[in-house]
Amino acid sequence: MLDFQAILQEIEIEIQPYLTQGKIASYIPELSMVEPTSFAMSLMTVDGQSYHVGAHHKRFSIQSISKLFTLTMAISLVDEKIWERIGKEPSGSPFNSLVQLEYENGIPRNPFINAGALVVTDVILNELKDAQKSVLNFIRTLAEKEDINFDFSVAKSEALTGFRNRAMADFMKSFGNLHHEPSRVLDAYFHHCSIAMSTQELCKAGMYLANRGVQPWLSEPILTQRQTKRMNALMLTCGTYDAVGEFAYRVGLPAKSGVGGGILACLPGNFSICVWSPRLSEKGNSVAGAKALELFTTKTKMSIF
Ligand code: DON
């Protein structure tokens, strides 16, 4: 039997030299207000055991990890129809790149780059009037935590500086791939990214990804087993930006990262795992976070491969 708590504690020690590597995201000014050497890691097994190290109660900006939850909502609302408007291939380009969009007629490569998440948000707006609040409520239900909330100062900071996202939304509108006003879609998207959660909460919220679509504490499944397999496939191939090959090579788990420094990953059938450390690699993934996950799969020999 593996001693997960002891393994997390070893990782917390071995990770120390990596906490000073990389840079905090500052293109959203409010994101740079965080303590740069913060570290937290949480693990939850499908049989309900939890293990934590570091600042696992501390909430941080989930940023692009929200793309997992918005895609889950969109898939449960419209299922396969979503793929009429978004691809499912790795982009090989930065998450905020505009070039592919022109070549590919306003159809984003995948739902985990910014353009893809804007279309996902537009799909949710088609089905539900309030995309902002419905996503927040969904996350609160997944994590069983009613006080999870938007960080309005982060959302405002991004609204003031999100020129590339605005360009992307306008561009997709010109191709007819946004049905609502770009400003409305952007406002909801910035709020989704601003949601603040701890590793403990994210790890719990993402349990369905490890557990065939089911949150054991909820009466209804979140996704079918087939939809969950597909979410995991997308995480593995598109979840860590244009570093996805390197991440699969080193870590070997489906994962989604965010520029707040969080990474949520899982081993289907086994566990959900979340790590946070705000300094990022050039590609936008947490340096210490990716290293901690690599150490975890190396020490436990538990990965999808
Ligand atoms: O749109 C942005 O640039 C941020 N709100 C989120 C970026 C992020 O975490 C990486 N995206 N895939």
Side-chain angles (χ1 to χ4, degrees):
M1 224 354 221
L2 287 167
D3 184 344
F4 285 128
Q5 189 61 37
I7 291 169
L8 292 190
Q9 281 160 351
E10 272 174 41
I11 294 172
E12 194 184 18
I13 294 167
E14 290 170 33
I15 208 70
Q16 294 300 318
Y18 296 89
L19 297 179
T20 49
Q21 294 183 19
K23 286 204 187 101
I24 294 204
S26 56
Y27 75 102
I28 302 171
E30 196 69 20
L31 285 185
S32 56
M33 309 296 234
V34 70
E35 166 53 46
T37 55
S38 307
F39 179 76
M41 194 166 188
S42 295
L43 171 77
M44 190 174 189
T45 59
V46 292
D47 55 13
Q49 305 298 311
S50 293
Y51 310 87
H52 311 278
V53 285
H56 59 94
H57 292 294
K58 174 107 179 100
R59 288 182 172 160
F60 58 91
S61 195
I62 69 169
Q63 291 298 316
S64 284
I65 301 175
S66 64
K67 294 177 169 75
L68 275 180
F69 303 118
T70 50
L71 180 64
T72 298
M73 274 187 84
I75 284 181
S76 60
L77 290 166
V78 303
D79 202 22
E80 291 290 298
K81 275 170 72 81
I82 187 122
W83 307 119
E84 291 166 11
R85 296 173 58 190
I86 311 176
K88 30 179 142 55
E89 295 297 338
S91 70
S93 308
F95 59 80
N96 56 5
S97 168
L98 279 147
V99 280
Q100 269 168 358
L101 270 183
E102 171 134 49
Y103 291 122
E104 298 176 5
N105 302 315
I107 308 281
R109 270 286 172 100
N110 69 63
F112 293 151
I113 51 175
N114 292 3
L118 289 166
V119 175
V120 168
T121 303
D122 192 65
V123 168
I124 298 174
L125 274 167
N126 274 345
E127 306 296 316
L128 309 168
K129 282 203 182 63
D130 190 341
Q132 207 162 298
K133 205 63 205 284
S134 53
V135 169
L136 179 64
N137 286 339
F138 179 53
I139 290 177
R140 286 176 172 172
T141 306
L142 290 175
E144 283 192 310
K145 259 295 181 63
E146 284 306 305
D147 68 346
I148 292 172
N149 214 336
F150 306 114
D151 181 331
F152 292 100
S153 54
V154 170
K156 188 167 169 217
S157 182
E158 183 160 13
L160 291 171
T161 55
F163 304 111
R164 293 188 75 90
N165 285 328
R166 207 163 296 141
M168 242 173 252
D170 284 341
F171 203 35
M172 289 192 291
K173 182 79 179 168
S174 78
F175 284 103
N177 201 16
L178 277 196
H179 300 169
H180 297 84
E181 274 312 304
S183 57
R184 193 165 159 214
V185 178
L186 286 161
D187 185 48
Y189 168 79
F190 293 150
H191 280 85
H192 301 156
C193 291
S194 83
I195 292 173
M197 293 171 78
S198 64
T199 57
Q200 187 165 337
E201 290 162 344
L202 268 170
C203 188
K204 182 169 177 182
M207 176 44 67
Y208 67 100
L209 297 163
N211 194 37
R212 301 184 174 86
V214 174
Q215 295 294 71
W217 48 90
L218 298 179
S219 52
E220 296 290 318
I222 304 301
L223 292 175
T224 64
Q225 195 168 331
R226 180 161 166 259
Q227 289 168 329
T228 311
K229 176 191 83 174
R230 295 186 163 167
M231 284 292 295
N232 275 289
L234 289 161
M235 289 161 72
L236 185 73
T237 53
C238 311
T240 44
Y241 321 131
D242 46 333
V244 78
E246 176 80 13
F247 191 91
Y249 178 89
R250 284 175 43 198
V251 177
L253 296 176
K256 181 74 204 87
S257 57
V259 295
I263 308 176
L264 176 58
C266 72
L267 179 59
N270 281 274
F271 59 75
S272 165
I273 189 164
C274 183
V275 61
W276 171 57
S277 188
R279 288 187 197 259
L280 308 178
S281 68
E282 271 180 19
K283 304 262 168 107
N285 296 308
S286 168
V287 175
K291 186 68 196 177
L293 290 172
E294 181 184 353
L295 286 169
F296 184 84
T297 53
T298 305
K299 284 174 188 291
T300 58
K301 301 190 176 59
M302 293 176 88
S303 85
I304 62 166
F305 298 112

